[in-house]
Amino acid sequence: MRSPPTTAAQLESTRLRLTFLTLLVVSLFLLLFARLWFLQVMAGERYVNLAEGNAVRTLTIAAPRGNILDRNDKPIVQNRFAMVVSVQPNEMGDRRDAILADVADLLGMSLQDVQRQIRGSRVSPFSPKPIAVDVPTEVALYIWENSSTRFPGVYAERLPVRQYPHGKTAAHVVGYLGEIGETELLEPEYSDYDPGDLIGWSGLERTYEKHLRGTKGVRRYEVNARGDILRELGDQVPVAGADLKTTLDLEAQKLVEKALEQGVKQARTVRDPEGRARGYYKAPAGAAVVMDPRDGGIVAMASYPTFEPEKFVGGVSGDYWDRLQNPKNHFPLINRVTQSSYPPGSVFKIVSAAAALEEGYVTPTSLTPCPGEWYWAGQRFRNWNTSDSGAITIETALEDSCDTVFYEMARRMWLDEQTEGRGLRERLADHARQWGFGKGTGIDLPSERNGVIPGRRWKQEFWESNRDSYCSQAKQAPKDSYAHDLFSDLCERGNIWRGGDAVNMSIGQGDVQTTPLQIANSFTAVANGGTLFRPRLGAQLVPPGEQPTPLPVKTIRELPVQPRHLDVIADGLRKVASQGTASATFAGFDVPVAGKTGTAEFRPKQPFAWFAAYAPAKKPEYVVVAMVEEGGGGSLNAAPIVRRILEGLLDLDPTDITPGVATD
C-alpha cells in the first residue's frame, strides 16, 4: 500500500491546476474581447446597415377632409380615394436613376417630369414624394409585387383626394388646395403641420382649414433591409374633418354662373358708341352675387372668367398655372366679387341720397333742378341725360339717375365743410363708411378688398405717397402740354380736397372704389329696412358623428337712416325698374323689382356696367348685383343679367339675355 503524497507534492499539483485554469480564463476573455472588437470596429458599419434595414417605418395616413355642402346638403366638394404613386429617392441607393426611369416608363411619364415632381415637392425628407395621382390598379399591384426588387423606394397608396362633382361650379367660393409653404410652417397656427401637408390656399378651403382638415392617422411597420414588410405593428385611424354646410344654393349658383358668362359674352357683341376697342365693348370679366336680405347669407357668388379646381388635385401643372397667370386670360383665380374693387357709378347714389336726406340738404318732397349740364367754379359737369328734366324730388333723381341733383347736394355739403375748420365732419364720406364702404364686410372668405372712400385725410395720405411720382412726371412732360399742367398741379396741390372731388364722389366716381359684395350688402340693408349684415357663406359645421354646430348670423350695424328716408330711397328704386332707367329691361316682368343702374367711367378703359336689385320689391327674398368690366352702360349690359338671374330664382319663364336700352 502506497503512502499518501507529501505536502509539497500536493501544493505543486494545485499550483499547476490553477495556472492552467487561469490561462484558460484569460484565453476566453481574450477571445471575447477580440470578437467584440471585430463586431464593433471591423464589421461595425455592416451591422449598423443591417440594423437600420431591419427597422420600424412609420407612415402617416392622410385624413379625409370634410365635405363642402350647399344649403340642401348637396355636395359641392367631396372626397374620393385615388391610387397615388410616391417615391423616396433616399431608399434607392446607387440604382436611383434606373429605378426612376423604370417608374416613369411604367406610369407613362418622362423621366424629366418625374424629376420635376420630386424637385417641386415640399414634403418632409423622410416622407415619400407624390409623383402621380389616379394610377390604374394593375400598375399599383405591379409596384407592390416588385417593391423589394425592381422598385425599392416606390410606394403605391390609396389616399383621399378632393372631388368636384359639378366641375367648375363655385370654384372661387370653395377654393383649392396646395402644399403648405415654408412661410406658413413658421406660423403658430400651423405648428402641427408637416412639410408636404395640403392646406386650403383660397376660398372656404382656406377660411375653414382647421375644421375641414381632420386628424392624420399613423401606421407602423417593421421592415427589413430590402424594404420588405415583416409585420404590421398597429395603427392609429385618421379622423375625418368636419363637413361645412354653406348658405349656397347649388342650383342658384349654376344659374348665376351661366347668366354671368352669357351676359359678359353678349356684351362683347354690343357696339361702343365712342368707337373704342375696335368698336365693341371688351367685357373681359364680370361678377355677380345673390344675397338673402333677411340674414346676409350668400345664395350664389360668381366670378368670370373662372378656373377648374380639379386641376389642382395632385399638384397643378406648370402649363395650367401659366395659363391662369397670363394677363391675356384676365386672371381667372381672382374672385371679383370680393377681391377686386371698382368705381361703382350710380349704384352708389343710394348712399348720397341718404346723406342728403339725413343731413337736411333735401327733404322727401323738396325739388332740385336736374339740368343736362351743371357748372361750378368754371367747370362743367354733365348729366348722362343731356336734356333738362326740370325740378325733381330726390326719389325721382334715383328713378332717373339724375347726376346733376347729386352734384348739387355734394356742393352744399362741401361748402359747409369748408367753413367748419378743424374737426370738420365729412358728411358724405362718413355716411358711406356707415353703409359699410371703405372697409371689408367681414365675409368668411380670404383676401377681401376694402375699397376706397376718399376724403381730406385720405387725399393727403395718398398725395404724400405719390408726390415724388407726380413731380417726376411733371418734369418729364413737355412744357405747355396737358400732362405737364396736370402733373404739376398734382405735384404742388394734389393734397387738396376740392369741390370737384366731392361732386365726383356723389355719383360713385372719382376715387371711390367698392367691391360688388359691398354694393350687394348696401342694397340688402335697404331691402330689409336698415340692417347691415356681415355677409356669410358658412352655415353649419358638422363633425363626424356629432350634432351640427350652427355658425351665427352677425350684424355690422343698423344704418343711420330714418325709416321714412329709407322708404323714399326704396320707392325710387322701385320706379327704376318700372318706369325709370331699367324699365325697358324689366318690361313684362311679373314680379315687382327695385333696382339701380350704374355706368362707371374708368378712363382710359371703357365704362363698367352695374345693376343692383332686390325682389320681390315689397317683400324682398333676393338681392342681386351684376357688374361687367368695360361692359358699357348698366342698363345696357348688366341689368339683363340680373333679369335672367331673377327669372330663375323666382321660377319665372326664362328669357334670352339681350342688350337693354342705353340709359345709365
Side-chain angles (χ1 to χ4, degrees):
M1 184 174 185
R2 260 188 342 173
S3 61
T6 65
T7 301
Q10 289 178 342
L11 290 173
E12 182 63 25
S13 174
T14 300
R15 190 181 301 113
L16 289 172
R17 286 197 296 271
L18 289 173
T19 301
F20 177 77
L21 182 60
T22 300
L23 291 173
L24 179 62
V25 171
V26 170
S27 298
L28 290 174
F29 272 104
L30 288 173
L31 289 172
L32 178 60
F33 283 121
R35 183 60 179 168
L36 289 173
W37 179 83
F38 175 79
L39 291 173
Q40 294 182 22
V41 180
M42 297 298 293
E45 184 176 352
R46 173 173 174 265
Y47 284 100
V48 166
N49 290 336
L50 288 174
E52 289 178 347
N54 193 24
V56 174
R57 171 165 293 152
T58 301
L59 297 177
T60 58
I61 307 171
R65 287 177 74 86
N67 300 315
I68 300 178
L69 314 170
D70 85 337
R71 60 174 56 193
N72 300 310
D73 293 319
K74 295 178 182 178
I76 303 173
V77 184
Q78 58 190 19
N79 296 299
R80 63 182 176 85
F81 282 88
M83 199 62 69
V84 178
V85 171
S86 306
V87 297
Q88 180 52 284
N90 294 338
E91 297 177 4
M92 297 177 181
D94 296 337
R95 296 177 52 207
R96 169 175 171 162
D97 292 342
I99 293 170
L100 292 179
D102 285 348
V103 172
D105 184 61
L106 181 65
L107 297 174
M109 301 171 65
S110 69
L111 179 59
Q112 290 76 16
D113 286 340
V114 171
Q115 292 171 334
R116 190 180 301 113
Q117 290 286 88
I118 294 171
R119 287 194 303 269
S121 177
R122 293 194 294 267
V123 301
S124 164
F126 305 103
S127 300
K129 299 165 178 56
I131 60 171
V133 179
D134 285 328
V135 175
T137 303
E138 57 271 20
V139 173
L141 289 172
Y142 186 76
I143 291 173
W144 286 337
E145 292 169 355
N146 296 274
S147 61
S148 62
T149 54
R150 188 177 178 186
F151 299 115
V154 181
Y155 300 90
E157 302 173 278
R158 193 166 174 264
L159 300 175
V161 297
R162 278 315 214 188
Q163 184 179 32
Y164 304 87
H166 305 283
K168 296 185 289 187
T169 301
H172 292 96
V173 178
V174 298
Y176 59 90
L177 302 180
E179 287 186 5
I180 190 169
E182 294 180 4
T183 302
E184 286 75 20
L185 285 169
L186 298 175
E187 297 176 3
E189 63 179 302
Y190 296 106
S191 59
D192 58 342
Y193 284 67
D194 297 315
D197 284 353
L198 294 179
I199 63 170
W201 270 113
S202 69
L204 294 173
E205 294 276 24
R206 179 85 176 191
T207 302
Y208 292 96
E209 165 66 25
K210 290 289 186 179
H211 302 283
L212 294 167
R213 176 194 181 201
T215 304
K216 291 184 287 188
V218 176
R219 181 169 296 150
R220 299 170 68 245
Y221 297 102
E222 184 179 356
V223 297
N224 61 20
R226 295 183 302 174
D228 297 325
I229 296 174
L230 301 179
R231 61 189 176 115
E232 187 173 333
L233 300 177
D235 56 24
Q236 177 182 329
V237 179
V239 179
D243 290 346
L244 174 64
K245 185 173 181 177
T246 70
T247 61
L248 291 175
D249 183 297
L250 188 58
E251 297 309 312
Q253 180 69 30
K254 292 178 180 179
L255 163 72
V256 172
E257 290 185 10
K258 184 177 181 181
L260 177 63
E261 181 177 0
Q262 290 177 343
V264 168
K265 291 179 178 178
Q266 176 66 43
R268 297 171 187 165
T269 68
V270 179
R271 287 191 174 275
D272 179 354
E274 295 189 24
R276 295 164 294 193
R278 298 181 181 178
Y280 294 89
Y281 290 113
K282 291 174 64 176
V289 59
V290 179
M291 289 184 67
D292 186 334
R294 296 162 293 189
D295 64 4
I298 302 296
V299 180
M301 179 183 289
S303 181
Y304 181 85
T306 186
F307 66 97
E308 298 178 66
E310 188 81 42
K311 296 283 190 180
F312 288 82
V313 175
V316 64
S317 70
D319 289 343
Y320 190 66
W321 182 256
D322 290 343
R323 281 174 54 194
L324 296 176
Q325 300 302 311
N326 190 331
K328 293 181 179 179
N329 295 323
H330 310 296
F331 304 107
L333 289 178
I334 295 175
N335 182 352
R336 287 169 162 83
V337 176
T338 62
Q339 295 177 330
S340 293
S341 59
Y342 309 92
S346 293
V347 293
F348 187 76
K349 288 176 180 174
I350 59 171
V351 179
S352 300
L357 287 163
E358 288 299 314
E359 298 294 333
Y361 290 96
V362 67
T363 69
T365 58
S366 60
L367 301 176
T368 306
C370 177
E373 294 180 344
W374 182 85
Y375 293 86
W376 187 24
Q379 281 187 284
R380 180 179 65 174
F381 297 85
R382 295 178 177 177
N383 185 17
W384 72 268
N385 183 0
T386 57
S387 62
D388 190 329
S389 299
I392 61 176
T393 63
I394 195 73
E395 177 185 308
T396 304
L398 287 170
E399 172 191 339
D400 294 340
S401 199
C402 178
D403 295 330
T404 48
V405 165
F406 293 96
Y407 295 156
E408 178 60 24
M409 295 302 107
R411 183 188 71 84
R412 297 176 188 177
M413 293 184 204
W414 184 86
L415 287 174
D416 283 350
E417 290 166 1
Q418 291 299 100
T419 65
E420 292 174 358
R422 288 190 175 183
L424 62 84
R425 206 168 52 81
E426 294 183 321
R427 291 158 174 79
L428 183 52
D430 287 350
H431 276 272
R433 295 187 184 100
Q434 289 296 311
W435 280 69
F437 294 103
K439 184 179 180 181
T441 65
I443 189 173
D444 45 351
L445 285 176
S447 306
E448 183 185 10
R449 292 288 291 271
N450 289 330
V452 174
I453 293 299
R456 290 164 178 80
R457 179 182 297 178
W458 176 87
K459 194 161 189 184
Q460 177 69 32
E461 293 173 352
F462 188 82
W463 176 72
E464 290 174 359
S465 299
N466 294 275
R467 184 183 182 186
D468 290 344
S469 175
Y470 293 149
C471 296
S472 175
Q473 292 182 72
K475 291 178 180 179
Q476 295 174 11
K479 288 188 176 181
D480 300 325
S481 68
Y482 171 78
H484 180 270
D485 293 341
L486 172 64
F487 287 112
S488 294
D489 182 67
L490 288 172
C491 172
E492 298 170 9
R493 295 175 293 277
N495 60 324
I496 301 173
W497 180 254
R498 307 181 191 191
D501 294 319
V503 164
N504 282 327
M505 181 180 175
S506 71
I507 61 166
Q509 294 282 181
D511 294 311
V512 180
Q513 293 276 310
T514 69
T515 67
L517 181 62
Q518 289 172 331
I519 294 297
N521 211 28
S522 66
F523 274 75
T524 288
V526 176
N528 65 35
T531 301
L532 193 68
F533 284 106
R534 176 171 292 175
R536 67 192 185 110
L537 283 153
Q540 292 180 349
L541 286 168
V542 190
E546 298 182 24
Q547 290 297 313
T549 301
L551 297 171
V553 175
K554 296 181 179 180
T555 60
I556 298 173
R557 69 180 62 87
E558 293 296 318
L559 293 182
V561 184
Q562 298 175 60
R564 66 190 184 97
H565 290 160
L566 274 179
D567 289 343
V568 170
I569 293 170
D571 289 342
L573 297 180
R574 283 193 287 271
K575 291 180 179 178
V576 167
S578 61
Q579 59 196 52
T581 54
S583 58
T585 295
F586 284 91
F589 201 78
D590 293 337
V591 177
V593 173
K596 185 71 194 76
T597 53
T599 304
E601 297 290 340
F602 198 35
R603 303 283 181 177
K605 296 183 178 182
Q606 295 169 300
F608 285 27
W610 288 86
F611 192 73
Y614 56 84
K618 286 291 187 181
K619 195 174 181 180
E621 298 176 19
Y622 302 103
V623 171
V624 184
V625 172
M627 185 280 306
V628 181
E629 294 181 14
E630 299 189 75
S635 62
L636 189 66
N637 289 319
I641 297 173
V642 173
R643 172 175 175 138
R644 181 66 195 89
I645 292 171
L646 286 172
E647 287 171 345
L649 294 173
L650 300 172
D651 294 323
L652 303 177
D653 292 336
T655 57
D656 293 334
I657 296 177
T658 56
V661 175
T663 55
D664 179 32

